């Protein structure tokens, strides 16, 4: 079997991964508790305090609801701006083929470390910290079939 996809990494994909990982960890639990506490403080005291404390209450409320997501998106945008454009990726029994400007390279299955499935994308991890992000929009209906295909090839060719 062979799969072919345009390879496009977007800032929103990296942002989604970061937000998903944050809110599925202890840091995310802390964020939620802090935000709920700030909502309750704003409800209880906002009408009773002066302007400076109102600003502080609103700033506290916006830390995890506006500031953190915005900073994460800006970081993701900066990362994406440094990535090459116009790539395509293909997967077959030999490995992962990446093409850019007519040049092809192959990553053998023995060099592939794993695959992670998110609700909105797949990440294929290669050796050396390299990885390939494939969004649901890119994969379409082939996401589950591709996931199974990669899982079936993991560990092949290793000594």
């Amino acid at each position: 079997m062979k799969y072919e996809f345009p390879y496009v990494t977007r800032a929103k994909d990296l942002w989604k991964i970061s937000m998903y990982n944050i809110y599925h960890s202890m840091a995310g639990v802390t964020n939620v508790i802090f935000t709920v506490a700030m909502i309750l403080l704003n409800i209880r005291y906002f009408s009773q305090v002066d302007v400076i404390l109102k600003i502080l209450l609103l700033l506290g409320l916006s830390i995890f609801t506006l500031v953190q997501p915005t900073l994460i998106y800006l970081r993701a945008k900066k990362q994406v701006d440094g990535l090459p454009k116009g790539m395509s990726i293909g997967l077959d029994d030999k490995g992962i083929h990446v093409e850019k400007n007519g040049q092809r390279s192959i990553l053998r299955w023995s060099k592939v470390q794993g695959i992670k499935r998110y609700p909105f994308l797949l990440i294929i991890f290669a050796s050396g910290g390299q990885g390939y992000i494939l969004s649901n929009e890119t994969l379409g209906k082939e996401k589950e079939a591709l996931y199974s295909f990669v899982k079936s090839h993991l560990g092949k060719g290793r000594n």
Side-chain angles (χ1 to χ4, degrees):
M1 182 160 288
K2 184 158 175 85
Y3 296 91
E4 293 272 343
F5 304 102
Y7 187 72
V8 180
T9 303
R10 296 173 304 228
K12 78 175 188 174
D13 295 330
L14 295 178
W15 179 81
K16 284 180 183 180
I17 293 168
S18 294
M19 295 303 289
Y20 185 91
N21 286 335
I22 287 170
Y23 282 95
H24 283 82
S25 70
M26 270 317 266
V29 173
T30 304
N31 291 1
V32 170
I33 291 170
F34 182 86
T35 302
V36 169
M38 288 308 301
I39 290 170
L40 294 174
L41 284 171
N42 274 280
I43 290 170
R44 173 67 176 94
Y45 295 109
F46 196 79
S47 62
Q48 301 170 8
V49 296
D50 62 4
V51 175
I52 293 178
L53 287 176
K54 284 181 181 179
I55 291 170
L56 290 174
L57 284 169
L58 291 174
L59 282 173
L61 182 60
S62 69
I63 288 174
F64 295 119
T65 56
L66 297 172
V67 175
Q68 182 188 38
T70 301
L71 291 176
I72 290 171
Y73 182 80
L74 292 173
R75 183 186 70 197
K77 181 135 179 57
K78 188 176 180 181
Q79 286 176 307
V80 167
D81 290 343
L83 295 175
K85 308 287 186 252
M87 293 174 50
S88 65
I89 187 170
L91 296 92
D92 63 17
D93 290 330
K94 294 178 183 176
I96 300 172
H97 305 268
V98 179
E99 184 175 338
K100 180 183 178 253
N101 299 332
Q103 294 181 324
R104 291 182 63 98
S105 64
I106 184 167
L107 177 68
R108 302 277 177 206
W109 288 114
S110 61
K111 302 287 186 193
V112 176
Q113 301 286 319
I115 184 168
K116 184 161 184 178
R117 178 175 31 191
Y118 288 89
F120 44 87
L121 55 76
L122 294 176
I123 302 176
I124 301 171
F125 295 101
S127 58
Q130 185 180 9
Y132 300 99
I133 298 171
L134 299 165
S135 69
N136 286 358
E137 293 152 6
T138 299
L139 297 174
K141 295 179 180 175
E142 294 186 90
K143 179 181 178 182
E144 292 306 315
L146 180 69
Y147 179 78
S148 298
F149 178 78
V150 173
K151 286 292 269 188
S152 72
H153 284 79
L154 289 177
K156 286 190 176 180
R158 291 191 180 156
N159 295 331

